[in-house]
Amino acid sequence: MPSKYNPQKIEKKWQKVWEQKKLYKTSNTSQKKKYYALIEFPYPSGDGLHVGHVRSYTAMDIVARKRRMQGHNVLYPIGWDAFGLPTENYAIKTGSHPKIVTKRNTDTFRRQLKSLGFSFDWSREINTTDPDYYKWTQWIFLKFFEAGLAYKARTFINWCTKCKIGLANEEVVAGRCERCGGEVVRREKEQWMLKITAYAEKLLKGLQDVDYIPEAKIQQENWIGRSEGATIKFKVQSSKFKINEEIEIFTTRADTLFGATYLALSPEHKLIAKRKMQIVNWKEVESYITATKKKTDIEHTAEGKEKTGMELKGIKAINPATKEEIPIWVSDYVLAGYGTGAIMAVPAHDERDFEFAKKFGLPVREVIQQPNVSVLNTAYAGEGVLVNSSSFTGMQSIEAKKAIAEFVGGKITIQYKLRDWIFSRQRYWGEPIPLIFCERCKKLIKSSKFKVQSSKFIKGELLNPGWIPIKEKDLPVELPHVKSYTPTDTGESPLAGIASWVRVKCPRCGGAARRETDVMPNWAGSSWYFLAYLMSKKAFKNKTSIGNWKLEIGNFRHFMPVDWYNGGMEHTVLHLLYSRFWNQFLHDIKLVPTAEPYKKRTSHGLILGEGGDKMSKSRGNVVNPDMLVREFGADALRMYEMFIGPFNQAAVWDPRGIIGTRRFLERTWNLISNFQKPSSKQDLISKNKSSNQKRIEQLLHQTIKKVSEDIENLRINTAVSSLMILLNEMEKSEIRNPKFEMSCKKTFLRLLAPFAPHIAEELWQKSGGKKSVHLEPWPKFDKTLITEDIITLVVQVNGKMRATLKASIGISQKEVERLAFADVRVIKALDGKHPARVIYVPGKLINFVL
RNA sequence: GCCGAAGUGGCGAAACUGGUAGACGCGCCAGGUUUAGGACCUGGUGGGGAAACCCAUGAGAGUUCGAAUCUCUCCUUCGGCACCA
């Protein structure tokens, strides 16, 4: 009686066995070569696991399982990135505490992930909202503070009107909130900032040493946005008063200085308010500035290039090259946060300046020769030969940049688009920032008697007078239990309302002080989680301290860097950049062994719902993995998601597609499960290999090669199809050699194991396997068996295929020609003519050109 | 506007450094097994044509004995950035 494939039964069974045997537990001390495979740990949303998670996790599970079979000590960990707004918003709506919601969601995710048979080392599970976890997040923040890389600043921030939260620049997409799509307005607020700009150059340079997909590298490079240029000072004059003032500008085109016909300042530029007295149209200027401040980013974007501005009448600047007096304007096309917040405008050679000059009737002076003279209605922004530039006329742009900058006493500098990371959030469900504000300590630092050198104050305290770090032994600063988490419109955290929590003693002077009530952004916990997986249980139980961290360095050294990290493209300028920054910092203070955390980074494509839209509840096109596991089995789901299309491209969910891989597994079952073990007598029959057997053997080795290579290149869709081809052929072939057949099928199972671990294990055990198939060695192919000795040659006439020939590999050209000329179709195509030329590619084709 | 990726059957897609276009799978068609059903088995399945053959990889040109693949122009879709001087 043949048995039937029943995934529901065997999948649960093996999941239990693997767990009991701790098959995927990773040793910290193994002598084997380590391999650290990482996926982006999920945010445990209330919607449960998404088929998109399954796609990414299965791919890395395949890599991890293959590496294990290849003899590596593989670490494939999992955890929860559980701080965040959706949980908090859900808690506000339902009244249940975020902690409870998180617990419920992670329980669901855990159950779902386990049902898919991923080879995670569950003993290392982490949760960013666990106080034992976030005490270390807070500790690392304090290291930034100590180093002077965390500072509080009153700046304009991006305020999401819907989430009621400040956003990092990276979180604003086209003037809208990256998360909710709500409108973002500019708001002035005191915020904690992390000085990521100090790492701009390192973050850029580090990209050279890592193996990231090119798109990820390019996106990071663009985001960091390095450009070389010069800062040049322009003297300022007033018509009425004598003033001694200069405006510094940044330009990448010092070669065009002779064409600078006005200066433009950003509305936030300090000089404007400072020279209020000298600006004769101050009222107009002031109202222009207030108008621009009111604009939201969306209005800015929507307006596009329609430029606005106001001249600062009464003051003028002197072009240091021409010594001419030029007007000074204020305009919001000049950004406060980039360069010096002021530019020299060269209308002839910059499109924006050109447009502005046209609108306000400012002079356009050409100083670079335009290659094609015909275009006069736009600026020529390219480089070239200088004209109208006094003694520099005739020089090339590249030389002139340096020469002119030097001539006017400018400084060569480098600018980055990257801004510091706004690190405060005014919500509840995040890590409290572990700092205390003490008025008394502030006064002490600011007093003239206070001698900085002799003090025990650390860098962060000097930089942020009055801000005192929590003592290490007092970490974590736990989130207090509150009844209402509702965010406020005033921009204060809900924590600010809990007086008993806010009022504390100053850790330094013991006086009355108050806590920081902002929390960290949801990127904090994920900025170092790849290290947390390596830390011992003790490290989480013990107090936070340099000493206890250093006990873990051995583990870091053993496993870092991550060998292969797969994740979504949407995290390339957020999480990926942030976590590289944290790791580089920790490396600089000698707390981790490598500067770069990830050796290799790849990216998966999204899985879209039917019709090609993003899967969402509101569209009603969400696919539930639980249902698919129940109906088709985890193995079929895993294989289908690998088969659905190229891994790095978006795929549209086809509800019927999964049937294909289910059928494949069913046929695998039928072919292998009822196989009889060969007796020793039967072995004797099979001394000679039948041609059938030879063909299968060859295909088998070709498949080993293909599957092995495809996994490494994440071309998993074609790996699956090659397994299907092999199965098709094995089914068709009639081999009368049971021993060979057995070894064939066993190799097939080992190839299948990473993809469909449960069925592979069950059939492996049924075929007499003693250990788990997942501990078996990965099959190796035999080169000599792969090459075919009978090949198919293509015969072309004038490049068109006319016939194919079967021939042995060593056949000569003469022989090929003889055979080709004998073919009816070739004779017909030649039409009695003699080929003028014959192109022969040995082993491939012959082409007769008439 | 700038940067990047991609356009191949009814559908998801294959095609290694230019060398048999459409592997593998879904769907569909025909037949079979079954009391019946199909998430079963066998065969077929780009278009035109009776056939010989011809036409087909977004459009158009080019290079080549030979182009889905290389070059140029254009069109479309998706992703990123968006006044960064």
Side-chain angles (χ1 to χ4, degrees):
Chain A
M1 189 59 187
S3 62
K4 237 187 132 200
Y5 175 45
N6 183 348
Q8 287 72 24
K9 211 169 109 194
I10 62 165
E11 287 175 359
K12 282 209 186 79
K13 176 176 110 189
W14 287 112
Q15 282 158 15
K16 223 170 165 183
V17 173
W18 295 335
E19 198 164 338
Q20 279 164 359
K21 293 200 170 164
K22 298 183 174 154
L23 207 64
Y24 309 121
K25 195 167 154 58
T26 313
S27 153
N28 276 345
T29 53
S30 169
Q31 294 299 303
K32 289 185 199 167
K33 203 172 169 200
K34 68 98 182 177
Y35 197 86
Y36 190 172
L38 187 66
I39 44 101
E40 284 167 353
F41 63 158
Y43 175 73
S45 80
D47 299 338
L49 200 69
H50 187 275
V51 284
H53 291 120
V54 179
R55 189 184 199 188
S56 161
Y57 302 172
T58 304
M60 285 313 282
D61 193 47
I62 289 167
V63 171
R65 286 177 182 277
K66 175 172 177 250
R67 281 289 180 285
R68 232 174 255 123
M69 292 172 84
Q70 286 174 317
H72 288 75
N73 177 39
V74 172
L75 175 60
Y76 189 38
I78 182 75
W80 319 109
D81 187 15
F83 274 128
L85 282 186
T87 302
E88 186 176 332
N89 288 338
Y90 181 81
I92 290 166
K93 221 165 85 187
T94 60
S96 36
H97 194 275
K99 231 185 211 166
I100 312 240
V101 179
T102 299
K103 166 88 171 60
R104 198 164 57 217
N105 290 349
T106 50
D107 285 348
T108 305
F109 264 71
R110 191 181 302 104
R111 176 186 60 71
Q112 290 183 304
L113 289 174
K114 285 194 172 178
S115 81
L116 281 150
F118 295 124
S119 62
F120 293 130
D121 178 355
W122 283 99
S123 72
R124 293 170 187 260
E125 182 181 339
I126 52 165
N127 185 331
T128 55
T129 64
D130 183 347
D132 282 342
Y133 182 98
Y134 70 69
K135 73 180 177 194
W136 286 109
T137 312
Q138 291 174 334
W139 185 77
I140 296 170
F141 174 83
L142 290 182
K143 293 289 146 204
F144 277 110
F145 183 81
E146 253 171 52
L149 291 171
Y151 64 95
K152 200 159 204 190
R154 187 164 191 87
T155 51
F156 283 96
I157 62 151
N158 315 295
W159 180 261
C160 173
T161 49
K162 213 165 149 190
C163 296
K164 293 174 181 168
I165 193 171
L167 301 174
N169 297 315
E170 288 84 348
E171 290 173 297
V172 183
V173 177
R176 292 185 177 273
C177 172
E178 183 247 353
R179 181 166 289 283
C180 75
E183 202 178 24
V184 173
V185 297
R186 287 154 62 71
R187 210 184 234 206
E188 204 176 4
K189 213 186 167 305
E190 276 226 312
Q191 300 277 322
W192 283 102
M193 312 279 287
L194 282 191
K195 208 166 179 170
I196 191 170
T197 52
Y199 277 74
E201 195 62 35
K202 266 192 189 176
L203 288 166
L204 196 63
K205 281 229 174 94
L207 290 172
Q208 287 169 9
D209 312 326
V210 290
D211 175 20
Y212 288 9
I213 46 165
E215 299 96 293
K217 271 194 193 182
I218 290 167
Q219 273 191 34
Q220 291 220 0
E221 277 163 10
N222 290 346
W223 191 262
I224 295 166
R226 180 187 201 271
S227 53
E228 269 178 36
T231 51
I232 294 171
K233 284 176 181 163
F234 283 61
K235 282 213 168 72
V236 179
Q237 288 180 348
S238 159
S239 46
K240 289 186 196 156
F241 310 90
K242 248 196 168 166
I243 52 171
N244 188 18
E245 187 79 68
E246 280 175 331
I247 294 174
E248 192 174 45
I249 59 96
F250 172 74
T251 180
T252 55
R253 294 298 303 273
D255 55 319
T256 63
L257 182 55
F258 283 85
T261 53
Y262 66 98
L263 290 190
L265 310 184
S266 66
E268 291 91 343
H269 201 281
K270 294 191 300 286
L271 179 119
I272 302 171
K274 198 174 160 196
R275 290 299 159 203
K276 195 168 156 175
M277 300 304 292
Q278 287 80 39
I279 298 169
V280 296
N281 59 339
W282 173 248
K283 269 209 172 138
E284 282 175 311
V285 170
E286 195 180 30
S287 66
Y288 173 75
I289 291 171
T290 35
T292 59
K293 277 187 185 170
K294 269 192 198 150
K295 277 193 210 167
T296 65
D297 281 8
I298 296 169
E299 283 165 340
H300 256 282
T301 320
E303 272 170 16
K305 291 211 161 97
E306 185 56 33
K307 292 192 173 47
T308 58
M310 190 66 64
E311 189 180 347
L312 306 181
K313 289 183 179 151
I315 57 172
K316 295 269 182 197
I318 305 294
N319 182 325
T322 61
K323 307 289 180 207
E324 276 173 342
E325 231 179 36
I326 57 172
I328 306 171
W329 285 68
V330 54
S331 172
D332 65 355
Y333 88 89
V334 182
L335 304 174
Y338 184 77
T340 59
I343 61 157
M344 69 173 202
V346 186
H349 304 293
D350 183 283
E351 274 179 52
R352 295 152 300 181
D353 298 345
F354 182 82
E355 200 194 321
F356 192 83
K358 276 273 133 122
K359 186 169 171 184
F360 294 104
L362 293 155
V364 179
R365 184 184 301 152
E366 207 170 302
V367 290
I368 305 284
Q369 208 160 47
Q370 209 160 329
N372 41 338
V373 192
S374 55
V375 206
L376 270 175
N377 231 349
T378 59
Y380 169 66
E383 302 192 333
V385 180
L386 272 69
V387 293
N388 297 328
S389 299
S390 156
S391 63
F392 298 95
T393 300
M395 208 181 247
Q396 287 287 334
S397 288
I398 305 169
E399 304 160 64
K401 280 180 187 180
K402 254 184 148 177
I404 294 182
E406 218 165 85
F407 171 64
V408 298
K411 260 202 315 209
I412 302 295
T413 49
I414 290 155
Q415 286 293 332
Y416 300 92
K417 287 188 201 173
L418 185 72
R419 316 280 170 82
D420 278 342
W421 176 6
I422 301 165
F423 203 68
S424 296
R425 297 294 183 275
Q426 300 71 37
R427 297 288 296 236
Y428 172 76
W429 196 226
E431 302 89 343
I433 290 175
L435 293 172
I436 285 169
F437 183 75
C438 172
E439 198 64 50
R440 207 155 104 194
C441 290
K442 181 179 177 178
K443 275 182 193 148
L444 179 64
I445 279 192
K446 289 215 157 169
S447 74
S448 52
K449 288 175 211 156
F450 179 75
K451 278 192 187 143
V452 170
Q453 282 84 353
S454 65
S455 82
K456 283 177 189 161
F457 282 83
I458 55 174
K459 246 188 180 170
E461 290 169 348
L462 297 173
L463 198 66
N464 306 284
W467 287 100
I468 312 295
I470 301 279
K471 284 184 180 148
E472 284 190 349
K473 69 174 177 57
D474 293 327
L475 290 176
V477 176
E478 280 200 53
L479 271 173
H481 223 83
V482 276
K483 289 213 175 85
S484 165
Y485 334 99
T486 317
T488 61
D489 274 319
T490 61
E492 267 205 291
S493 155
L495 294 175
I498 312 165
S500 60
W501 184 76
V502 173
R503 280 190 215 123
V504 282
K505 275 186 188 162
C506 171
R508 183 168 292 285
C509 72
R514 62 174 172 83
R515 284 187 196 279
E516 171 60 60
T517 56
D518 282 353
V519 297
M520 299 186 198
N522 59 324
W523 309 106
S526 60
S527 291
W528 70 283
Y529 79 111
F530 46 91
L531 297 167
Y533 286 135
L534 311 178
M535 289 167 84
S536 62
K537 286 268 171 306
K538 256 195 199 161
F540 289 105
K541 267 191 218 132
N542 283 356
K543 291 234 169 300
T544 37
S545 74
I546 275 276
N548 282 329
W549 177 278
K550 281 193 170 161
L551 287 178
E552 304 301 317
I553 284 181
N555 291 337
F556 299 151
R557 210 165 276 147
H558 190 119
F559 285 108
M560 288 300 285
V562 172
D563 291 278
W564 191 339
Y565 190 18
N566 185 73
M569 259 334 266
E570 71 274 19
H571 289 132
T572 339
V573 282
L574 293 155
H575 160 66
L576 207 62
L577 195 67
Y578 293 151
S579 56
R580 288 182 60 223
F581 167 44
W582 277 43
N583 193 78
Q584 287 192 347
F585 168 68
L586 290 173
H587 179 248
D588 280 350
I589 59 171
K590 301 196 165 49
L591 293 179
V592 296
T594 61
E596 285 295 332
Y598 320 119
K599 216 178 189 170
K600 173 173 177 169
R601 166 80 182 191
T602 53
S603 212
H604 56 262
L606 293 175
I607 291 190
L608 305 170
E610 273 180 86
D613 294 314
K614 227 177 160 174
M615 278 191 193
S616 71
K617 262 194 198 159
S618 55
R619 287 196 187 89
N621 59 355
V622 176
V623 179
N624 181 353
D626 282 343
M627 221 186 65
L628 294 165
V629 169
R630 221 177 303 129
E631 204 170 328
F632 298 96
D635 285 339
L637 175 58
R638 290 169 58 113
M639 283 207 100
Y640 174 57
E641 293 215 22
M642 294 300 98
F643 190 55
I644 196 166
F647 183 70
N648 58 354
Q649 277 173 38
V652 176
W653 186 262
D654 177 0
R656 288 172 306 224
I658 191 170
I659 290 165
T661 50
R662 170 65 194 250
R663 280 182 193 147
F664 163 77
L665 294 174
E666 217 144 311
R667 281 165 42 214
T668 300
W669 181 272
N670 292 338
L671 186 71
I672 299 177
S673 72
N674 304 308
F675 182 75
Q676 307 287 313
K677 270 195 208 168
S679 70
S680 51
K681 256 188 197 168
Q682 280 170 308
D683 290 352
L684 295 172
I685 317 170
S686 51
K687 281 274 148 107
N688 311 335
K689 288 184 183 175
S690 67
S691 65
N692 231 341
Q693 180 175 330
K694 233 176 162 178
R695 218 189 63 237
I696 291 291
E697 194 174 42
Q698 186 184 33
L699 182 66
L700 183 70
H701 283 262
Q702 284 169 342
T703 307
I704 296 171
K705 182 168 189 271
K706 176 109 180 98
V707 171
S708 306
E709 288 171 358
D710 280 355
I711 291 174
E712 295 311 313
N713 299 318
L714 280 185
R715 300 169 56 140
I716 311 187
N717 53 331
T718 51
V720 173
S721 84
S722 68
L723 285 170
M724 287 172 167
I725 292 168
L726 180 59
L727 179 74
N728 290 347
E729 288 303 313
M730 290 197 317
E731 276 180 339
K732 272 188 228 157
S733 73
E734 285 166 36
I735 299 165
R736 309 222 192 294
N737 180 345
K739 197 178 171 189
F740 169 75
E741 203 180 341
M742 184 69 173
S743 88
C744 222
K745 288 176 179 174
K746 282 196 155 182
T747 304
F748 177 78
L749 287 178
R750 284 189 284 153
L751 288 177
L752 181 67
F755 299 83
H758 311 90
I759 189 176
E761 185 78 300
E762 176 75 18
L763 292 174
W764 182 260
Q765 305 288 334
K766 276 193 156 201
S767 316
K770 293 202 175 70
K771 296 187 292 185
S772 165
V773 68
H774 304 294
L775 301 175
E776 285 290 319
W778 183 251
K780 286 195 176 112
F781 63 90
D782 185 337
K783 256 191 202 161
T784 58
L785 290 173
I786 283 179
T787 49
E788 329 213 353
D789 30 64
I790 301 291
I791 47 159
T792 309
L793 273 167
V794 172
V795 184
Q796 295 181 335
V797 177
N798 279 341
K800 279 199 175 137
M801 205 269 286
R802 293 296 165 179
T804 56
L805 294 175
K806 293 254 185 223
S808 67
I809 187 106
I811 192 165
S812 69
Q813 179 172 350
K814 266 203 176 142
E815 185 66 8
V816 172
E817 283 181 32
R818 198 185 61 78
L819 288 169
F821 287 140
D823 189 287
V824 198
R825 294 185 62 207
V826 178
I827 293 166
K828 214 170 165 188
L830 287 172
D831 196 24
K833 287 171 202 143
H834 263 283
R837 229 178 117 189
V838 178
I839 288 150
Y840 179 60
V841 185
K844 280 239 166 97
L845 88 160
I846 189 154
N847 187 11
F848 300 109
V849 187
L850 296 179

